[in-house]
Amino acid sequence: METNGVRLTPEQAHAALADTEHVRASAAALSATPWPNWFFITLTLYIAALPITFGGFAADPEWLLPRSAWAAIIVTSAAVYLALFVVAGNAWRAKTGVALRLDVLPKRATVPLSIGLPVLPMGAGFVFRATGQPVWLFAASLIGVAVSVGFHLAFVRLHRKTS
């Protein structure tokens, strides 16, 4: 192998390739690093509120607020969340030079999360509508918070292990 006109020995070439793999692994770990703490808190609060707001919207008859108010809360909170998601991504890129990427995260964790997390507030809302018992909404909210904290801690550990 030749680099800048210098011929490398097989050992040097293997060492260079190992360094390249280490850099790739570090970049992947860095891009998978947890959100900034302020965004992790925002995300957790959003996840906590979602079952309750969806339950309020799905309730029959209206529960605590008119259905239109629940719809406005859902739309407004989603817009704020998405705007903060963009801010968090830009802040992370400015801080590290690496974009936040979901594709480098373990699929065995992200696939169940991407399926289960939407089912949690919607399922709790429908069960609340059927039973009229808000305990389902609060249980779903607490489960969502636990999942958010668990994933955040797992990503922190993933980052520390590969850094």
Side-chain angles (χ1 to χ4, degrees):
M1 181 173 182
E2 213 172 289
T3 303
N4 295 332
V6 177
R7 189 158 183 90
L8 299 177
T9 66
E11 294 80 22
Q12 291 171 322
H14 286 293
L17 288 173
D19 285 344
T20 301
E21 285 305 313
H22 177 71
V23 168
R24 281 189 186 139
S26 294
L30 187 59
S31 63
T33 298
W35 307 108
N37 285 334
W38 66 265
F39 186 71
F40 157 67
I41 293 166
T42 301
L43 175 61
T44 303
L45 291 173
Y46 179 73
I47 290 170
L50 201 53
I52 297 165
T53 55
F54 185 76
F57 178 76
D60 189 35
E62 292 179 341
W63 179 63
L64 300 178
L65 296 171
R67 184 167 281 137
S68 60
W70 287 114
I73 291 168
I74 290 170
V75 169
T76 302
S77 63
V80 169
Y81 167 74
L82 290 173
L84 290 175
F85 181 85
V86 170
V87 170
N90 289 339
W92 185 251
R93 185 183 310 227
K95 179 180 177 184
T96 65
V98 178
L100 286 171
R101 294 176 38 205
L102 300 177
D103 64 318
V104 296
L105 300 174
K107 301 294 184 253
R108 69 182 183 280
T110 56
V111 170
L113 178 68
S114 64
I115 294 168
L117 207 51
V119 169
L120 188 65
M122 293 175 56
F126 290 130
V127 172
F128 170 61
R129 181 182 174 123
T131 65
Q133 304 213 353
V135 69
W136 295 102
L137 303 176
F138 297 111
S141 181
L142 290 174
I143 291 168
V145 166
V147 168
S148 179
V149 170
F151 269 79
H152 179 73
L153 294 176
F155 295 151
V156 167
R157 190 174 65 238
L158 172 70
H159 177 66
R160 286 187 184 144
K161 185 171 28 173
T162 57
S163 294

